Amino acid sequence: MSAVTDTAAAPAAKTPTLPDAQTVTEVKHWTDRLFSFRCTRPASLRFRSGEFVMIGLMGDNGKPLLRAYSIASPSWDEELEFYSIKVPDGPLTSKLQHIEPGDQIILRPKPVGTLVHDALLPGKRIWFFATGTGFAPFASLLRDPQTYEDYEEVIITHTCREVGELEYGKELIDSIRQDELLAELIGEGFADKLRYYPTTTREESPKMGRITDLMRKGEVFEDLGVAPLSPEHDRAMVCGNLAFNLEIKDMLEEYGLQEGANSNPKHYVVEKAFLD
Ligand code: A2P
Protein backbone atom coordinates (compact mmCIF):
# COMPACT_ATOMS: atom_id res chain seq x y z
CA MET A 1 0.00 0.00 0.00
CA SER A 2 1.45 3.36 -0.91
CA ALA A 3 1.83 6.17 1.58
CA VAL A 4 -0.51 9.13 1.43
CA THR A 5 1.58 12.25 1.91
CA ASP A 6 0.28 15.56 3.08
CA THR A 7 3.15 17.99 2.93
CA ALA A 8 1.11 21.11 2.19
CA ALA A 9 2.23 24.23 4.03
CA ALA A 10 0.82 24.18 7.54
CA PRO A 11 -2.32 26.31 7.84
CA ALA A 12 -2.87 28.39 10.96
CA ALA A 13 -3.41 26.30 14.11
CA LYS A 14 -7.07 25.36 14.55
CA THR A 15 -7.22 24.95 18.31
CA PRO A 16 -6.41 27.40 21.05
CA THR A 17 -2.86 27.19 22.33
CA LEU A 18 -2.47 24.36 24.85
CA PRO A 19 0.19 24.03 27.53
CA ASP A 20 3.22 22.24 26.00
CA ALA A 21 1.58 22.53 22.57
CA GLN A 22 3.48 21.70 19.39
CA THR A 23 2.26 22.15 15.83
CA VAL A 24 1.92 19.21 13.44
CA THR A 25 3.89 19.83 10.22
CA GLU A 26 3.39 16.62 8.23
CA VAL A 27 1.28 13.44 8.37
CA LYS A 28 1.76 10.22 6.38
CA HIS A 29 -0.67 7.32 6.42
CA TRP A 30 1.23 4.12 5.64
CA THR A 31 -1.59 1.58 5.95
CA ASP A 32 -5.06 1.62 7.45
CA ARG A 33 -3.37 0.63 10.77
CA LEU A 34 -0.24 2.82 10.73
CA PHE A 35 0.71 6.47 10.35
CA SER A 36 3.62 8.76 11.10
CA PHE A 37 3.71 12.47 11.73
CA ARG A 38 6.15 15.28 12.33
CA CYS A 39 5.75 18.29 14.60
CA THR A 40 7.68 21.29 15.83
CA ARG A 41 10.32 20.66 18.50
CA PRO A 42 10.50 22.70 21.71
CA ALA A 43 13.76 24.67 21.70
CA SER A 44 14.56 23.33 25.17
CA LEU A 45 14.06 19.64 24.32
CA ARG A 46 17.29 17.62 24.37
CA PHE A 47 17.04 13.83 24.13
CA ARG A 48 19.15 10.78 23.47
CA SER A 49 18.26 8.74 20.36
CA GLY A 50 15.98 5.89 21.41
CA GLU A 51 14.17 7.76 24.20
CA PHE A 52 10.43 8.41 24.47
CA VAL A 53 8.21 11.29 25.57
CA MET A 54 4.56 11.62 26.56
CA ILE A 55 2.42 13.06 23.79
CA GLY A 56 -1.30 13.38 23.23
CA LEU A 57 -4.37 15.53 22.79
CA MET A 58 -6.80 17.32 25.03
CA GLY A 59 -9.52 14.85 26.03
CA ASP A 60 -13.25 15.58 25.89
CA ASN A 61 -13.19 16.07 29.67
CA GLY A 62 -10.71 18.94 29.28
CA LYS A 63 -7.83 16.85 30.66
CA PRO A 64 -4.77 15.92 28.58
CA LEU A 65 -4.87 12.37 27.21
CA LEU A 66 -1.22 11.32 26.98
CA ARG A 67 0.68 8.17 25.95
CA ALA A 68 4.36 7.30 25.77
CA TYR A 69 5.76 7.54 22.24
CA SER A 70 9.29 6.81 21.14
CA ILE A 71 10.83 9.71 19.28
CA ALA A 72 11.50 8.37 15.78
CA SER A 73 13.60 11.32 14.62
CA PRO A 74 17.29 11.64 15.45
CA SER A 75 18.45 14.07 18.13
CA TRP A 76 19.98 16.41 15.51
CA ASP A 77 16.66 16.90 13.66
CA GLU A 78 15.03 20.30 14.12
CA GLU A 79 11.58 18.67 14.14
CA LEU A 80 10.21 15.61 15.96
CA GLU A 81 8.82 12.51 14.25
CA PHE A 82 6.52 9.83 15.69
CA TYR A 83 5.25 6.52 14.28
CA SER A 84 1.92 5.24 15.53
CA ILE A 85 -0.63 2.50 15.27
CA LYS A 86 -4.31 3.40 14.79
CA VAL A 87 -6.43 1.57 17.34
CA PRO A 88 -10.09 2.03 16.28
CA ASP A 89 -11.37 2.17 19.88
CA GLY A 90 -8.13 3.48 21.39
CA PRO A 91 -8.80 6.53 23.56
CA LEU A 92 -5.90 8.47 22.04
CA THR A 93 -5.08 6.99 18.61
CA SER A 94 -8.73 6.93 17.46
CA LYS A 95 -8.43 10.74 17.58
CA LEU A 96 -4.72 11.20 16.91
CA GLN A 97 -4.98 9.42 13.55
CA HIS A 98 -7.05 12.35 12.25
CA ILE A 99 -4.50 15.09 12.96
CA GLU A 100 -3.50 17.32 10.06
CA PRO A 101 -0.73 19.83 9.45
CA GLY A 102 -1.46 22.94 11.51
CA ASP A 103 -3.15 21.03 14.36
CA GLN A 104 -1.68 21.12 17.83
CA ILE A 105 -0.62 18.19 19.97
CA ILE A 106 0.55 18.16 23.57
CA LEU A 107 4.14 17.12 24.21
CA ARG A 108 5.68 16.85 27.68
CA PRO A 109 9.37 17.61 27.09
CA LYS A 110 10.77 15.03 29.55
CA PRO A 111 12.49 12.30 27.53
CA VAL A 112 13.26 8.94 29.20
CA GLY A 113 13.94 5.36 28.13
CA THR A 114 16.24 2.38 28.21
CA LEU A 115 17.05 1.99 24.49
CA VAL A 116 20.11 4.20 24.67
CA HIS A 117 23.73 3.58 23.80
CA ASP A 118 24.75 4.48 27.36
CA ALA A 119 23.05 1.29 28.66
CA LEU A 120 25.31 -1.01 26.61
CA LEU A 121 28.94 -2.02 26.98
CA PRO A 122 31.16 -1.55 23.92
CA GLY A 123 30.73 -4.31 21.31
CA LYS A 124 31.40 -5.20 17.71
CA ARG A 125 27.89 -5.66 16.34
CA ILE A 126 24.55 -4.16 17.41
CA TRP A 127 21.22 -5.87 16.74
CA PHE A 128 18.01 -3.83 16.71
CA PHE A 129 15.04 -6.24 17.01
CA ALA A 130 11.65 -4.66 16.22
CA THR A 131 8.08 -5.77 15.63
CA GLY A 132 5.34 -3.46 14.33
CA THR A 133 5.61 0.13 15.58
CA GLY A 134 8.53 -1.00 17.75
CA PHE A 135 10.58 0.20 14.78
CA ALA A 136 10.16 3.83 15.99
CA PRO A 137 13.09 4.15 18.44
CA PHE A 138 15.35 2.50 15.87
CA ALA A 139 14.29 5.06 13.26
CA SER A 140 16.00 7.50 15.63
CA LEU A 141 19.01 5.33 16.49
CA LEU A 142 19.63 4.38 12.85
CA ARG A 143 20.00 8.08 12.02
CA ASP A 144 22.36 8.72 14.93
CA PRO A 145 26.04 8.89 13.87
CA GLN A 146 27.06 7.33 17.21
CA THR A 147 25.45 4.03 16.16
CA TYR A 148 27.96 3.70 13.32
CA GLU A 149 30.86 5.11 15.29
CA ASP A 150 30.36 2.59 18.12
CA TYR A 151 29.82 -0.57 16.03
CA GLU A 152 31.37 -2.32 13.04
CA GLU A 153 28.01 -3.75 12.04
CA VAL A 154 24.40 -2.60 12.61
CA ILE A 155 21.63 -5.16 12.01
CA ILE A 156 17.97 -4.13 12.13
CA THR A 157 15.31 -6.85 12.01
CA HIS A 158 11.67 -5.88 11.61
CA THR A 159 8.81 -8.39 11.81
CA CYS A 160 5.30 -7.31 10.80
CA ARG A 161 2.10 -9.09 9.92
CA GLU A 162 1.85 -7.66 6.40
CA VAL A 163 4.15 -6.29 3.71
CA GLY A 164 2.63 -2.77 3.81
CA GLU A 165 3.57 -2.50 7.48
CA LEU A 166 7.25 -2.72 6.55
CA GLU A 167 7.07 0.32 4.26
CA TYR A 168 7.92 3.02 6.83
CA GLY A 169 11.08 1.16 7.83
CA LYS A 170 12.03 0.25 4.28
CA GLU A 171 11.76 3.85 3.09
CA LEU A 172 13.78 5.03 6.07
CA ILE A 173 16.57 2.52 5.44
CA ASP A 174 16.69 3.55 1.76
CA SER A 175 16.93 7.22 2.73
CA ILE A 176 19.68 6.54 5.30
CA ARG A 177 21.74 4.69 2.70
CA GLN A 178 21.57 7.76 0.45
CA ASP A 179 22.00 10.34 3.21
CA GLU A 180 24.87 12.62 2.28
CA LEU A 181 24.86 14.40 5.63
CA LEU A 182 25.33 11.12 7.53
CA ALA A 183 28.03 10.08 5.05
CA GLU A 184 29.77 13.38 5.72
CA LEU A 185 29.42 13.04 9.50
CA ILE A 186 30.44 9.40 9.77
CA GLY A 187 32.50 8.84 6.66
CA GLU A 188 31.80 7.36 3.23
CA GLY A 189 30.92 3.68 3.40
CA PHE A 190 29.00 3.93 6.68
CA ALA A 191 25.97 2.52 4.88
CA ASP A 192 27.85 -0.74 4.27
CA LYS A 193 27.67 -1.38 8.02
CA LEU A 194 23.86 -1.30 7.95
CA ARG A 195 22.05 -4.64 7.40
CA TYR A 196 18.25 -4.70 7.09
CA TYR A 197 16.29 -7.93 7.72
CA PRO A 198 12.51 -7.50 7.23
CA THR A 199 10.13 -10.43 7.74
CA THR A 200 6.36 -10.91 7.57
CA THR A 201 4.17 -13.45 9.30
CA ARG A 202 0.74 -13.20 7.66
CA GLU A 203 1.41 -12.12 4.09
CA GLU A 204 3.79 -13.56 1.50
CA SER A 205 7.14 -11.77 1.28
CA PRO A 206 10.74 -12.77 0.43
CA LYS A 207 11.41 -13.69 4.09
CA MET A 208 8.57 -15.11 6.13
CA GLY A 209 8.35 -15.99 9.82
CA ARG A 210 8.77 -14.53 13.27
CA ILE A 211 12.34 -13.37 13.87
CA THR A 212 12.46 -15.51 17.01
CA ASP A 213 11.67 -18.69 15.02
CA LEU A 214 14.16 -17.71 12.30
CA MET A 215 16.83 -17.27 14.95
CA ARG A 216 16.05 -20.63 16.55
CA LYS A 217 16.39 -22.31 13.15
CA GLY A 218 19.65 -20.45 12.56
CA GLU A 219 18.23 -19.02 9.34
CA VAL A 220 18.92 -15.37 10.27
CA PHE A 221 22.59 -16.08 10.91
CA GLU A 222 22.93 -18.07 7.68
CA ASP A 223 21.21 -15.34 5.66
CA LEU A 224 23.37 -12.59 7.11
CA GLY A 225 26.57 -14.62 7.24
CA VAL A 226 27.19 -13.89 10.91
CA ALA A 227 27.70 -16.12 13.94
CA PRO A 228 24.88 -16.51 16.52
CA LEU A 229 24.91 -13.81 19.19
CA SER A 230 27.61 -13.87 21.83
CA PRO A 231 28.25 -11.60 24.84
CA GLU A 232 31.79 -10.98 23.56
CA HIS A 233 30.77 -9.36 20.28
CA ASP A 234 27.03 -8.69 20.18
CA ARG A 235 24.81 -6.04 21.72
CA ALA A 236 21.03 -5.89 21.26
CA MET A 237 18.13 -3.51 21.66
CA VAL A 238 14.58 -4.86 21.56
CA CYS A 239 11.28 -3.05 20.98
CA GLY A 240 8.02 -4.73 20.10
CA ASN A 241 4.85 -6.23 21.48
CA LEU A 242 4.96 -7.72 24.96
CA ALA A 243 4.96 -11.41 23.96
CA PHE A 244 7.82 -10.78 21.53
CA ASN A 245 9.85 -8.83 24.08
CA LEU A 246 9.54 -11.63 26.65
CA GLU A 247 10.39 -14.36 24.17
CA ILE A 248 13.44 -12.70 22.67
CA LYS A 249 14.67 -11.63 26.12
CA ASP A 250 14.79 -15.32 27.11
CA MET A 251 16.62 -16.14 23.90
CA LEU A 252 19.19 -13.38 24.44
CA GLU A 253 19.81 -14.69 27.96
CA GLU A 254 20.33 -18.17 26.49
CA TYR A 255 22.98 -16.71 24.18
CA GLY A 256 24.67 -15.44 27.38
CA LEU A 257 23.72 -11.77 27.04
CA GLN A 258 22.70 -9.84 30.17
CA GLU A 259 20.24 -6.98 30.47
CA GLY A 260 21.78 -3.54 30.91
CA ALA A 261 20.54 -0.22 32.24
CA ASN A 262 21.71 3.38 32.18
CA SER A 263 23.28 2.92 35.59
CA ASN A 264 24.67 -0.54 34.82
CA PRO A 265 25.55 -1.04 31.12
CA LYS A 266 25.55 -4.65 29.87
CA HIS A 267 24.71 -6.51 26.65
CA TYR A 268 21.06 -5.82 25.78
CA VAL A 269 18.10 -3.57 26.60
CA VAL A 270 14.33 -3.92 26.05
CA GLU A 271 11.48 -1.49 25.64
CA LYS A 272 7.82 -2.10 25.01
CA ALA A 273 6.17 -0.64 21.88
CA PHE A 274 3.51 1.45 23.54
CA LEU A 275 -0.04 0.83 22.42
CA ASP A 276 -3.38 2.31 23.32
P1 A2P B 1 2.22 -13.15 14.25
O1 A2P B 1 1.52 -12.63 13.02
O2 A2P B 1 2.70 -14.56 14.10
O3 A2P B 1 1.43 -12.93 15.52
P2 A2P B 1 1.38 -7.17 16.22
O4 A2P B 1 0.96 -6.40 14.99
O5 A2P B 1 0.35 -8.07 16.77
O6 A2P B 1 2.01 -6.28 17.27
O7 A2P B 1 2.56 -8.13 15.74
C1 A2P B 1 3.67 -7.65 15.05
C2 A2P B 1 4.50 -8.83 14.61
O8 A2P B 1 5.09 -9.45 15.77
C3 A2P B 1 3.69 -9.89 13.91
O9 A2P B 1 4.38 -10.27 12.74
C4 A2P B 1 3.63 -11.01 14.93
O10 A2P B 1 3.59 -12.31 14.38
C5 A2P B 1 4.95 -10.85 15.66
N1 A2P B 1 4.92 -11.48 16.97
C6 A2P B 1 3.92 -11.51 17.87
N2 A2P B 1 4.28 -12.19 18.98
C7 A2P B 1 5.54 -12.61 18.78
C8 A2P B 1 6.47 -13.37 19.54
N3 A2P B 1 6.17 -13.84 20.76
N4 A2P B 1 7.68 -13.59 19.01
C9 A2P B 1 7.99 -13.13 17.79
N5 A2P B 1 7.17 -12.43 17.03
C10 A2P B 1 5.96 -12.15 17.50
Side-chain angles (χ1 to χ4, degrees):
M1 193 174 303
S2 65
V4 179
T5 312
D6 188 350
T7 50
K14 290 173 191 163
T15 44
T17 299
L18 305 162
D20 289 336
Q22 298 301 320
T23 304
V24 175
T25 57
E26 189 183 325
V27 182
K28 282 189 182 188
H29 292 275
W30 298 91
T31 71
D32 50 7
R33 287 177 73 221
L34 295 168
F35 72 114
S36 63
F37 60 94
R38 293 175 68 84
C39 69
T40 52
R41 174 175 176 174
S44 61
L45 177 63
R46 296 276 171 275
F47 66 94
R48 292 177 295 174
S49 300
E51 288 188 313
F52 64 83
V53 284
M54 303 299 290
I55 63 170
L57 297 170
M58 201 52 92
D60 295 334
N61 60 1
K63 290 194 182 142
L65 185 56
L66 302 172
R67 293 285 182 273
Y69 270 82
S70 290
I71 302 173
S73 46
S75 49
W76 49 261
D77 199 329
E78 62 186 23
E79 288 187 339
L80 295 173
E81 184 175 315
F82 298 96
Y83 182 48
S84 178
I85 197 158
K86 306 174 192 178
V87 182
D89 305 322
L92 177 61
T93 63
S94 60
K95 292 198 174 86
L96 194 65
Q97 63 179 289
H98 300 297
I99 54 168
E100 290 175 7
D103 287 348
Q104 294 194 340
I105 61 159
I106 304 169
L107 184 146
R108 297 270 189 260
K110 292 192 182 62
V112 281
T114 55
L115 299 187
V116 290
H117 284 304
D118 294 343
L120 296 177
L121 294 168
K124 187 173 151 205
R125 183 185 298 123
I126 182 125
W127 294 79
F128 294 146
F129 293 107
T131 65
T133 54
F135 191 88
F138 304 129
S140 177
L141 284 153
L142 286 168
R143 288 183 272 187
D144 183 341
Q146 190 186 348
T147 300
Y148 305 92
E149 285 158 8
D150 285 2
Y151 296 97
E152 288 171 27
E153 210 167 5
V154 178
I155 300 175
I156 165 88
T157 82
H158 192 196
T159 300
C160 291
R161 297 180 189 187
E162 295 168 8
V163 175
E165 294 170 342
L166 292 170
E167 193 57 29
Y168 173 79
K170 185 175 169 297
E171 226 177 72
L172 186 99
I173 301 282
D174 286 347
S175 74
I176 289 174
R177 290 197 167 124
Q178 291 160 23
D179 195 312
E180 288 174 11
L181 182 66
L182 274 179
E184 221 172 89
L185 283 171
I186 310 161
E188 291 296 334
F190 88 92
D192 297 339
K193 292 184 170 186
L194 176 56
R195 319 279 309 270
Y196 173 49
Y197 196 84
T199 83
T200 57
T201 49
R202 302 192 195 184
E203 189 184 1
E204 189 108 17
S205 76
K207 182 55 68 177
M208 293 201 62
R210 292 178 167 193
I211 191 69
T212 41
D213 293 338
L214 295 166
M215 284 165 79
R216 264 187 217 103
K217 288 191 268 179
E219 214 171 306
V220 180
F221 310 116
E222 262 169 50
D223 289 342
L224 293 170
V226 298
L229 284 84
S230 75
E232 287 76 33
H233 300 303
D234 296 276
R235 302 292 170 260
M237 294 194 189
V238 175
C239 188
N241 63 55
L242 190 58
F244 164 73
N245 286 359
L246 293 173
E247 199 174 321
I248 200 156
K249 193 168 142 70
D250 280 351
M251 292 179 70
L252 294 174
E253 296 276 344
E254 278 166 30
Y255 288 121
L257 277 65
Q258 294 175 329
E259 186 165 10
N262 269 285
S263 54
N264 187 17
K266 290 237 170 104
H267 310 120
Y268 77 90
V269 280
V270 180
E271 195 119 84
K272 187 166 90 189
F274 298 93
L275 302 180
D276 247 339

